[in-house]
Amino acid sequence: IGASRTSCWAQELLPANAKLGPRGMPGDALLGDAALERLARAAGLQGAASLSPEARRLLEQAAEHLVWETVASGARLSRHCKSKTLAEKDVLMHLRHRWGLQLPGQG
C-alpha cells in the first residue's frame, strides 16, 4: 500500500503524533525477531540462521500489508454502517472475503 493510498484513512485511525515510515505506515515492525523465531520454530526451522534477512524483511512487509489492508477495509465497512468503531465483524468479513480466512471460533 503506497503512502498516498494510506494517508487518506491513516489520519483517521492513527494519533496525530504517530510516526509513519517511508510507505506511509507506522515505522515499527509488526513482527519482531522473537515472533519471527517462534514462527520459524513452529514451522520446523531451528536456530537464528533459519530465516535469511531477505525472508525476515519479506515476512515483515507481508504482515504489515495484511494488517493495514484489513484495518483500512474494516474501517470502510464500519463507516458504511455509520459506525465510528472498527468492530470484530468488519475485520472478520474482510478476512473471509478478501483472503478466504475463516478464523477458528469466530463467526
Side-chain angles (χ1 to χ4, degrees):
I1 297 176
S4 62
R5 189 168 160 203
T6 303
S7 61
C8 64
W9 55 265
Q11 293 174 358
E12 295 177 31
L13 300 174
L14 297 173
N17 61 350
K19 182 179 175 186
L20 297 181
R23 291 187 309 277
M25 299 179 203
D28 296 335
L30 292 173
L31 289 177
D33 287 339
L36 287 171
E37 288 304 319
R38 281 193 308 273
L39 289 169
R41 281 193 305 277
L45 299 175
Q46 300 298 320
S50 62
L51 291 173
S52 70
E54 295 82 9
R56 284 180 187 275
R57 190 173 58 252
L58 183 58
L59 288 168
E60 289 168 358
Q61 288 173 352
E64 188 176 90
H65 178 78
L66 174 68
V67 170
W68 279 94
E69 181 185 284
T70 301
V71 170
S73 179
R76 284 190 298 273
L77 289 168
S78 294
R79 285 193 300 269
H80 176 75
C81 296
K82 309 289 189 246
S83 175
K84 293 183 178 186
T85 303
L86 178 59
E88 176 185 26
K89 65 180 177 130
D90 302 317
V91 171
L92 291 171
M93 181 180 288
H94 170 75
L95 292 173
R96 187 172 35 252
H97 288 282
R98 173 69 169 94
W99 296 102
L101 296 175
Q102 181 71 36
L103 301 179
Q106 304 295 320

